[in-house]
Amino acid sequence: MPSFESFYQQYPCSYNSPLNCDRPFQTAQQIKGAKFCLECGFPATLPQKAEIKGNQGTYQIDSFVGARGLGRLYSGIQLKDKQPVIIKEYLLPNRSFNESETLKRKETFKRVGGISLADSRIQNFRLVETQEAIADEKGERCYLIIKGVESSQTLGKYLIEKGAMTSPDVREVLNQGLQTLQFLHTQKLRFPSNKTQLGVSHGNINLDSTLIKIENNQQFSIYFCDLAIWENLFIPPIITQPAPTKPEQDLESLGLLAFYLWVGRTTNFLTNQSLDPKDNQQWPDTDSHLKQFIYRLIGLETPFESAEAARQALLQLPKEDHAKNSVQLSAASQKIEKRLPMPLILLGILALLLVGGGIWYLLLGKNTDSSNQYILWSKLVRNFSEVPNVPSGKFTYTGEKDSTWSYVLTQPVDNSRLGDLLTKPKLDATAIFNYESVLSSNANNPIRSIEEVQASKKEFAITSLENNITSKFDKKQVAYDGLIVFVAFNKRDSNLANALGGQINIEQLRRIYTGKITNWQEISPKLPNLPVKPFAPTEPEAINKFQEIVLKNSPQDEALFTAKVTKLDTTKTQNQIRSETLEGRTTGIISFGIISKTWKQCTGYPLAIADDKKSAIQPLFQRRDRRSINPSDDLCQHDDYYVDVTTFKSYPLGYPIFVVYPKDSNRLPGGSTFAQMLTTRQGQCLLSKVGLVALQPMPDDINSYACKSVP
């Protein structure tokens, strides 16, 4: 299947992937009844309590779960009996499908969306059970009602969280998968249209269309879902449509899935390309029999005739042979030891130590500081449940209405919103933390949140405005925030980001935002003859920090800033850049915004920032090479870059975020407890996922096993 980045090209999404973008969800959360994403016009997610009427009943949306395959998932219930269901929403957006295509695909979907045994027997062959396929008569959506597999996740998520499977577990995945394919390929099946057919190919077996349910005893079951016969109906016609699959292709796909599970990843770290099973170095060496079997499944050696034949061969495989390899290695070592005189052995050991030490120094020595910082990470309390002495009661806390904290609480994370996860972070305690934002009357001095705490109207506040925190309060830093300065970015042709060399300094920013630089050539003759168009975001805290860091709180500069700079929501600024770029115009827009609104988009290039005579610092790093980004990188691959915590600590436009609470022993310690929770490993991971920066480096980054495995 083509990459999702090539889908829905008619929608100018910042992520370049509207289906997986979080902004349609944000739009639905922020604007009641919104049908389309405010940024690009892609269909917004369905609101909570929305109802979908089908032939077998009415279904109600409970919450948005996330995207999977070519659709979006929601948890819900069937209203008549309150039974839980999963609703998969498929989209036929009108810019990608014309009216004729939409009608044709809706009708086909109603006919083929789901299968069951033709003789109406109920048999668990580990295929996710579909209840009915619904096509919205007037809209551009279709729905598949699914009876949920409780406590299940995709194998893709399992791989990220748990890492590689052992060879016995891979064998069990193959055993169950082949059993299901044997059923699919040979049984008489019925479609919703009542048409029956002898056998059907799955056609879409991958890590995201295979679910895993883990039992209490750590045994597991896998379930197939998202068959190609209905899933592929929602591939836009501009994309080459896949040919109908055959049963032998299902075997190849299952073999490739097993290979990924056993290796523990899907990508070659050196090339950043998909792993190639033909590369012998990528394979584990613990089970040669399993390796040979997967070779046959994939078709690298004599393929199996059917799923049944493959399963019979699997069941007859000898057990894994790593013990035999260990014995052979031990025997070989003993032979070498007998042949070598003791002095030579000692010399050899000394040489190995010297060479090994040299390699360690050259390759890993530079990471010693990071390793020490990871020790700090390992010393953090692991998760919310381990935070001691949590007081009972309801605690209302606050922050500015348009602050970073108000924004990140709305962001989706781990199939929920951050705000929902933090309302009752410790499930076995009675402490509840409710957030109520406030709006300061003076946008240039947003201090009302602190005033609310001082007046005992709120228990504590979260703010980045350290200068407003008086000696009456205690404060605890819980993360870093910062401002990203960006200019128009178009990788396909010459652009402002390239001309600037990907960087700008504080003094140049000050002169731009006070109207003293009005044309880009005033910075350098090498820059385009283009008017400078400075924009600023609407968040008072962000403006306050910009004025503090860049304008040095100069009243004269602040007055010029207010008079000459256009304030516009960051998303709308990005839309304006995109609009001017799509029209073929070269735009001179420059703007800044908080990290959480600017770091995962590719409309504007995030400039490195230089302070005084120091070198420019770029805190965004390219994942593959572990280096700072530059204008030649494709930022539309937004999962390929991240904020480097160590580098960010020197970033001129970075600043801490604090939990602020009174120095009053008579009040319950709600603020200090909440700060403790946010500084656990679990809290730091959650904050990192919504665009804040952790207090210390994690092992790798927020997508690492160490972070995702925290409950």
Side-chain angles (χ1 to χ4, degrees):
M1 182 181 293
S3 163
F4 286 122
E5 279 70 22
S6 62
F7 281 44
Y8 312 119
Q9 296 175 4
Q10 299 83 353
Y11 292 86
C13 172
S14 292
Y15 286 10
N16 208 30
S17 182
L19 192 64
N20 295 281
C21 177
D22 60 2
R23 296 194 178 182
F25 172 74
Q26 292 172 21
T27 298
Q29 293 291 306
Q30 295 166 5
I31 302 176
K32 186 176 181 180
K35 300 293 185 183
F36 304 99
C37 172
L38 284 176
E39 177 183 308
C40 71
F42 194 72
T45 56
L46 297 171
Q48 195 175 28
K49 305 299 182 184
E51 294 184 1
I52 300 165
K53 293 183 179 180
N55 293 326
Q56 298 184 33
T58 300
Y59 309 91
Q60 187 178 74
I61 298 291
D62 181 28
S63 63
F64 173 61
V65 175
R68 187 184 75 208
L70 289 175
R72 300 190 292 213
L73 298 177
Y74 304 83
S75 62
I77 58 170
Q78 185 168 4
L79 286 178
K80 67 178 180 182
D81 55 12
K82 305 300 181 183
Q83 288 299 305
V85 294
I86 296 294
I87 300 167
K88 184 161 187 181
E89 171 199 38
Y90 292 101
L91 299 166
L92 296 162
N94 57 26
R95 296 185 201 171
S96 300
F97 298 84
N98 62 35
E99 187 176 349
S100 174
E101 282 283 349
T102 297
L103 182 60
K104 178 182 177 181
R105 294 184 188 224
K106 281 183 178 181
E107 291 301 318
T108 305
F109 178 70
K110 289 190 291 185
R111 292 199 308 270
V112 303
I115 56 173
S116 59
L117 281 165
D119 58 10
S120 300
R121 282 183 294 129
I122 297 176
Q123 183 174 339
N124 180 14
F125 53 97
R126 289 186 297 275
L127 188 69
V128 172
E129 187 177 354
T130 55
Q131 187 159 314
E132 66 171 315
I134 303 168
D136 188 339
E137 291 183 5
K138 297 180 180 179
E140 48 195 3
R141 309 174 194 238
C142 293
Y143 310 99
L144 193 66
I145 309 301
I146 303 165
K147 294 182 179 179
V149 178
E150 188 179 356
S151 302
S152 61
Q153 62 180 166
T154 67
L155 281 178
K157 289 184 178 179
Y158 175 94
L159 197 62
I160 292 172
E161 295 182 7
K162 305 294 185 183
M165 279 189 169
T166 63
S167 62
D169 283 348
V170 173
R171 288 181 181 226
E172 182 57 24
V173 168
L174 287 169
N175 177 40
Q176 294 185 27
L178 288 168
Q179 201 171 23
T180 302
L181 288 181
Q182 182 180 342
F183 184 96
L184 268 178
H185 294 169
T186 62
Q187 294 292 311
K188 192 173 184 181
L189 303 170
R190 185 185 305 278
F191 292 99
S193 63
N194 276 328
K195 177 185 176 182
T196 60
Q197 179 176 316
L198 184 62
V200 65
S201 297
H202 186 295
N204 187 37
I205 295 174
N206 56 60
L207 291 170
D208 289 326
S209 66
T210 311
L211 309 182
I212 182 169
K213 178 182 178 183
I214 301 176
E215 310 293 350
N216 292 332
N217 57 5
Q218 296 304 304
Q219 292 183 335
F220 62 82
S221 299
I222 67 164
Y223 294 79
F224 287 148
C225 58
D226 303 340
L227 270 65
I229 196 169
W230 61 77
E231 189 87 1
N232 288 354
L233 291 172
F234 301 93
I235 298 176
I238 194 173
I239 307 295
T240 302
Q241 304 295 294
T245 55
K246 299 178 181 179
E248 53 265 31
Q249 291 171 286
D250 282 346
L251 299 184
E252 293 176 15
S253 297
L254 180 62
L256 195 59
L257 178 144
F259 169 62
Y260 291 147
L261 290 174
W262 196 15
V263 175
R265 63 185 191 278
T266 61
T267 305
N268 185 320
F269 293 144
L270 296 177
T271 66
N272 205 33
Q273 302 297 316
S274 296
L275 280 179
D276 183 359
K278 295 177 183 177
D279 183 354
N280 195 52
Q281 293 183 345
Q282 303 296 337
W283 288 82
D285 58 1
T286 58
D287 191 341
S288 61
H289 304 297
L290 177 59
K291 177 181 176 182
Q292 197 76 14
F293 179 83
I294 296 176
Y295 258 52
R296 291 191 64 187
L297 267 188
I298 295 174
L300 297 179
E301 292 188 1
T302 308
F304 295 105
E305 294 181 357
S306 64
E308 181 180 7
R311 184 165 180 264
Q312 290 304 316
L314 176 70
L315 296 175
Q316 294 170 16
L317 280 186
K319 293 184 178 180
E320 58 181 327
D321 51 3
H322 62 83
K324 177 181 175 182
N325 291 339
S326 299
V327 171
Q328 290 174 342
L329 182 62
S330 176
S333 300
Q334 289 173 9
K335 288 180 182 179
I336 292 173
E337 189 173 336
K338 287 178 181 178
R339 292 175 189 166
L340 290 175
M342 184 58 68
L344 288 179
I345 293 174
L346 292 175
L347 284 172
I349 292 172
L350 180 60
L352 284 172
L353 288 173
L354 289 171
V355 172
I359 293 173
W360 173 265
Y361 178 80
L362 290 172
L363 298 182
L364 302 178
K366 62 183 179 181
N367 292 328
T368 302
D369 291 341
S370 296
S371 299
N372 291 336
Q373 290 169 320
Y374 296 156
I375 292 173
L376 296 176
W377 167 261
S378 68
K379 290 181 179 179
L380 295 179
V381 174
R382 189 167 184 268
N383 52 37
F384 297 153
S385 65
E386 295 177 9
V387 173
N389 304 319
V390 176
S392 298
K394 292 184 178 180
F395 301 92
T396 302
Y397 71 107
T398 190
E400 285 294 324
K401 182 179 179 182
D402 290 321
S403 65
T404 293
W405 189 254
S406 291
Y407 176 73
V408 299
L409 286 181
T410 67
Q411 297 307 289
V413 57
D414 294 352
N415 298 328
S416 186
R417 290 192 315 159
L418 180 64
D420 297 332
L421 293 173
L422 296 182
T423 299
K424 192 176 182 182
K426 190 169 180 179
L427 297 179
D428 60 347
T430 57
I432 296 174
F433 299 92
N434 292 316
Y435 181 72
E436 293 180 4
S437 64
V438 292
L439 182 63
S440 294
S441 56
N442 183 356
N444 292 323
N445 190 25
I447 61 171
R448 188 178 167 194
S449 60
I450 302 295
E451 292 174 340
E452 291 278 303
V453 179
Q454 187 169 344
S456 299
K457 295 180 180 179
K458 301 291 189 293
E459 298 295 330
F460 58 93
I462 296 187
T463 182
S464 62
L465 304 184
E466 188 174 5
N467 293 339
N468 293 333
I469 304 172
T470 69
S471 59
K472 296 179 180 180
F473 298 96
D474 278 326
K475 63 183 180 183
K476 182 167 182 180
Q477 184 179 345
V478 293
Y480 291 99
D481 193 13
L483 303 176
I484 298 290
V485 177
F486 58 93
V487 293
F489 177 64
N490 185 349
K491 189 171 179 289
R492 290 169 295 191
D493 52 37
S494 93
N495 57 75
L496 195 53
N498 267 325
L500 284 164
Q503 66 182 51
I504 199 166
N505 65 45
I506 294 288
E507 176 58 20
Q508 289 165 346
L509 282 176
R510 186 190 70 79
R511 296 181 67 202
I512 285 172
Y513 276 89
T514 55
K516 294 171 183 176
I517 291 178
T518 58
N519 190 291
W520 284 104
Q521 282 194 340
E522 294 173 36
I523 292 179
S524 169
K526 296 179 181 179
L527 294 176
N529 181 12
L530 188 68
V532 175
K533 297 167 65 176
F535 282 74
T538 53
E539 294 89 358
E541 278 190 14
I543 293 173
N544 188 284
K545 296 305 293 188
F546 186 86
Q547 291 177 338
E548 174 190 328
I549 299 169
V550 177
L551 305 184
K552 312 300 183 187
N553 287 332
S554 162
Q556 181 180 357
D557 284 350
E558 288 177 7
L560 291 170
F561 174 91
T562 302
K564 295 181 178 296
V565 175
T566 302
K567 291 182 182 178
L568 190 66
D569 177 78
T570 300
T571 300
K572 292 181 180 179
T573 301
Q574 293 164 356
N575 288 344
Q576 184 162 336
I577 291 174
R578 188 181 303 109
S579 175
E580 292 184 17
T581 303
L582 289 175
E583 291 172 5
R585 289 188 282 160
T586 303
T587 178
I589 291 176
I590 182 171
S591 188
F592 64 91
I594 56 177
I595 296 173
S596 48
K597 283 191 174 183
T598 55
W599 71 314
K600 285 192 174 181
Q601 50 81 41
C602 55
T603 297
Y605 181 82
L607 296 171
I609 305 296
D611 188 5
D612 298 328
K613 295 182 180 179
K614 298 177 184 177
S615 299
I617 294 175
Q618 174 57 264
L620 294 178
F621 270 48
Q622 202 259 16
R623 192 177 307 282
R624 174 182 167 187
D625 300 323
R626 295 295 188 267
R627 58 160 175 80
S628 56
I629 62 169
N630 62 59
S632 66
D633 290 321
D634 184 359
L635 299 186
C636 290
Q637 300 292 326
H638 56 276
D639 286 333
D640 198 40
Y641 65 97
Y642 63 97
V643 178
D644 181 76
V645 176
T646 303
T647 304
F648 189 83
K649 291 182 179 182
S650 302
Y651 180 60
L653 298 183
Y655 46 85
I657 285 184
F658 300 97
V659 173
V660 182
Y661 46 92
K663 291 180 177 178
D664 186 348
S665 58
N666 294 321
R667 294 172 68 168
L668 288 173
S672 59
T673 300
F674 195 71
Q676 277 184 275
M677 291 185 171
L678 293 182
T679 51
T680 62
R681 275 185 270 169
Q682 182 179 6
Q684 292 289 284
C685 286
L686 290 173
L687 297 184
S688 297
K689 291 176 182 179
V690 295
L692 295 178
V693 181
L695 296 176
Q696 59 277 309
M698 304 175 189
D700 197 9
D701 55 77
I702 65 169
N703 291 314
S704 69
Y705 167 74
C707 193
K708 292 212 174 215
S709 62
V710 176

